[in-house]
């Protein structure tokens, strides 16, 4: 059941609100918390969370492409993915400084 849900998300076959809020927002908060508990370091937490971030970007982007509602929500979801990704990359780059 869980793997089927993850597969449906990754393929973009879940609703955009569910994908964005459950996987993107809540899922990232949970993964970030777990990463922080494991590493005790914000930079290393981002390294731990990198696979999850890639996973949610792909799933939400595809869900956005499949969204049948108002086009503005599809666009806003993609804008937020870009903002999240730029923030994530900036955090990873801070590891080298």
């Amino acid at each position: 059941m869980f793997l089927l849900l993850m597969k449906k998300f990754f393929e973009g076959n879940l609703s955009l609100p569910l994908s964005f809020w459950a996987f993107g927002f809540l899922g990232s908060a949970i993964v970030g918390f777990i990463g922080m508990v494991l590493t005790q370091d914000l930079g290393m937490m981002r390294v731990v969370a990198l696979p999850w971030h890639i996973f949610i970007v792909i799933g939400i982007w595809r869900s956005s492409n499949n969204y049948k509602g108002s086009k503005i929500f599809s666009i806003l979801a993609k804008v937020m993915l870009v903002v999240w990704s730029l923030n994530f990359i900036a955090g990873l780059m801070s590891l080298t400084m």
Side-chain angles (χ1 to χ4, degrees), residues 1-2 16 18 30 68 73 82 86 88-89:
M1 179 75 167
F2 177 74
L16 180 57
L18 179 63
I30 292 168
K68 303 297 184 219
F73 294 115
V82 170
L86 290 174
F88 198 89
I89 291 166

Side-chain angles (χ1 to χ4, degrees), residues 52-71:
W52 176 258
H53 184 76
I54 293 167
F55 178 73
I56 65 155
V57 167
I58 293 169
I60 295 171
W61 196 277
R62 289 175 174 173
S63 179
S64 178
N65 287 340
N66 295 332
Y67 186 62
K68 303 297 184 219
S70 177
K71 193 69 175 164

Side-chain angles (χ1 to χ4, degrees), residues 21-88:
W21 291 108
F23 285 86
F25 186 78
L26 186 59
S28 292
I30 292 168
V31 169
F33 177 77
I34 292 169
M36 198 62 182
V37 167
L38 292 175
T39 66
Q40 299 292 307
D41 180 85
L42 184 60
M44 288 307 297
M45 180 273 300
R46 289 180 189 262
V47 173
V48 170
L50 181 60
W52 176 258
H53 184 76
I54 293 167
F55 178 73
I56 65 155
V57 167
I58 293 169
I60 295 171
W61 196 277
R62 289 175 174 173
S63 179
S64 178
N65 287 340
N66 295 332
Y67 186 62
K68 303 297 184 219
S70 177
K71 193 69 175 164
I72 189 68
F73 294 115
S74 176
I75 293 167
L76 287 173
K78 289 179 178 177
V79 167
M80 281 306 301
L81 288 175
V82 170
V83 170
W84 278 343
S85 295
L86 290 174
N87 180 27
F88 198 89

